[in-house]
């Protein structure tokens, strides 16, 4: 089961539903994913498990799947949660001890990643900044929390990153991490109660260039230095999230300094039991201009797929 947000091709309306085995069951009376994330976990589970019982279903070909994040829901991200991430940040940075200290500290590194409207999903392009010379994808397990801070689901995430900009100065992290095309999540939210153990999920990454695998890597959430509940707890300590929040939980897969993404690459990510992402790579903000049009017309997204 996955929670999905979609545009119906018959009337172009945006709806929320449950996808099972290639069929989508609309959730009657639910206008947005952010409405679902206002519900307590037990109530949300009951609503989803009862969806589609004898009612209307649509073949997935009849809808345009959209990123499953909307309204006031924000995407945040965690840094330096794996030893590999700490080592990579130390390697690239002019301020090496900052990353060693945050890896060992009780308080995690958390940062804002994207508002809902700027998030892309499977099949849509991710971007590298035109003013950056060293860029990588960061495949991550994404936690979906409701307004109470309860973990209700998971997504696959790509936290695109400019290593050259952040490496120049850690204070440039917002520019290295927050820009058009920097945040991708899978098309569906996998409910938390369907994942027996989120601390032992395999994550894989492949970068395809000119039809060949240019780089690949793998890790597991078992290698995380921090637990998911603690990350969510810190996210909710200092602010309210009345429509819930998505939190990318950090990456354990980072290419060597000799590798960088290029326009025309394709990034393939899979988080086992959770979701997949396949995204072409573009350069600069202009190829993402359709995101503004998609605010009023979700089918504007099709030009990029």
């Amino acid at each position: 089961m996955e929670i999905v947000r979609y545009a119906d091709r018959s009337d172009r309306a945006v709806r929320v539903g449950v996808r099972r085995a290639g069929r989508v069951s609309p959730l009657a009376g639910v206008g947005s994913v952010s409405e679902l994330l206002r519900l307590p976990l037990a109530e949300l589970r009951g609503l989803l498990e009862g969806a589609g019982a004898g009612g209307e279903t649509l073949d997935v070909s009849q809808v345009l799947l959209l990123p499953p994040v909307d309204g006031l829901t924000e995407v945040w991200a965690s840094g330096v949660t794996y030893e590999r991430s700490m080592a990579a940040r130390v390697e690239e940075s002019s301020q090496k001890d900052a990353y060693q200290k945050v890896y060992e500290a009780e308080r995690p590194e958390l940062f804002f990643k994207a508002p809902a409207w700027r998030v892309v999903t499977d099949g849509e392009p991710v971007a590298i900044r035109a003013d950056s010379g060293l860029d990588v994808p960061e495949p991550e397990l994404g936690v979906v929390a409701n307004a109470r801070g309860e973990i209700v689901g998971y997504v696959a995430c790509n936290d695109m990153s400019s290593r050259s900009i952040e490496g120049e100065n850690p204070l440039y992290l917002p520019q290295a991490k927050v820009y058009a095309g920097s945040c991708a999540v899978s098309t569906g939210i996998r409910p938390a109660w369907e994942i027996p153990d989120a601390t032992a999920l395999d994550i894989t990454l492949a970068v395809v260039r000119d039809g060949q695998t240019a780089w690949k890597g793998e890790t597991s959430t078992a290698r995380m230095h921090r637990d998911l509940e603690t990350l969510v707890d810190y996210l909710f300590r200092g602010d309210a999230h009345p429509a819930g929040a998505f939190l990318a939980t950090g990456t354990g897969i980072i290419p060597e300094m000799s590798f960088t993404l290029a326009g025309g690459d394709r990034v393939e990510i899979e988080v086992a039991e959770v979701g997949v992402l396949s995204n072409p790579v573009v350069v600069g903000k202009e190829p993402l201009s359709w995101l503004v049009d998609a605010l009023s017309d979700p089918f504007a997204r099709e030009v990029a797929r």
Side-chain angles (χ1 to χ4, degrees), residues 9 15 40 51 61 90 94 154 186 229-230 269 271-272:
R9 294 188 184 278
R15 296 188 173 91
S61 65
V90 168
S94 61
Y154 302 100
S186 49
E229 290 77 13
T230 298
I269 291 170
V271 179

Side-chain angles (χ1 to χ4, degrees), residues 7 26 36 49 51 67 119 121 146 173 185 193 211 227 233 255 266 295 297:
L36 291 178
E49 291 184 336
V119 177
T121 193
N146 66 8
L173 182 139
V185 302
W193 56 89
D227 64 81
D233 173 65
R266 179 169 288 272
L295 285 167
D297 177 13

Side-chain angles (χ1 to χ4, degrees), residues 13-281:
V14 175
R15 296 188 173 91
V16 177
V18 172
R19 178 173 58 185
R20 297 184 181 92
R23 305 289 297 183
V24 176
S25 303
L27 284 172
V30 178
S32 65
V33 175
S34 57
E35 286 182 28
L36 291 178
L37 297 182
R38 295 187 182 100
L39 301 176
L41 174 59
E43 188 176 342
L44 173 60
R45 180 172 182 174
L47 176 64
L48 296 180
E49 291 184 336
E56 173 195 9
T57 66
L58 300 170
D59 186 85
V60 72
S61 65
Q62 296 175 268
V63 305
L64 177 69
L65 292 172
L66 306 173
V69 53
D70 55 25
L72 296 177
T73 307
E74 299 169 341
V75 181
W76 286 67
S78 316
V80 200
T81 58
Y82 290 76
E83 185 177 3
R84 171 59 189 142
S85 178
M86 185 270 290
R89 297 285 99 89
V90 168
E91 184 181 13
E92 75 193 20
S93 181
S94 61
Q95 306 292 326
K96 301 181 186 303
D97 64 337
Y99 297 99
Q100 293 171 327
K101 287 179 179 178
V102 78
Y103 181 76
E104 298 166 358
E106 178 180 351
R107 182 181 296 275
E109 177 194 12
L110 302 177
F111 55 90
F112 178 77
K113 184 65 182 178
W117 70 270
R118 201 182 289 146
V119 177
V120 302
T121 193
D122 186 49
E124 298 174 348
V126 291
I128 55 181
R129 289 184 60 126
D131 59 353
S132 172
L134 183 57
D135 305 271
V136 291
E138 296 192 4
E140 308 185 12
L141 172 68
V143 167
V144 183
N146 66 8
R148 299 181 176 203
E150 298 172 301
I151 296 176
V152 300
Y154 302 100
V155 291
C157 290
N158 183 357
D159 170 20
M160 293 284 287
S161 180
S162 166
R163 298 188 73 181
S164 56
I165 292 176
E166 184 180 0
E168 184 179 346
N169 191 316
L171 295 180
Y172 294 160
L173 182 139
Q175 296 175 75
K177 293 283 192 176
V178 184
Y179 58 87
S182 68
C183 180
V185 302
S186 49
T187 54
I189 300 171
R190 188 76 191 278
W193 56 89
E194 292 198 348
I195 304 295
D197 185 5
T199 66
L201 301 176
D202 292 333
I203 302 175
T204 60
L205 165 69
V207 178
V208 178
R209 179 174 296 164
D210 298 326
Q212 304 293 321
T213 300
W215 198 91
K216 63 179 180 180
E218 61 183 27
T219 190
S220 168
T221 55
R223 298 177 183 174
M224 285 187 66
H225 178 60
R226 301 182 184 274
D227 64 81
L228 304 179
E229 290 77 13
T230 298
L231 293 174
V232 172
D233 173 65
Y234 271 94
L235 179 63
F236 279 73
R237 281 191 184 190
D239 210 346
H241 296 275
F246 285 49
L247 178 61
T249 58
T251 189
I253 308 175
I254 302 177
E256 301 79 16
M257 291 289 287
S258 59
F259 180 86
T260 186
L261 286 172
D265 289 351
R266 179 169 288 272
V267 178
E268 308 277 358
I269 291 170
E270 180 175 2
V271 179
E273 302 183 53
V274 174
V276 298
L277 280 168
S278 178
N279 303 96
V281 177

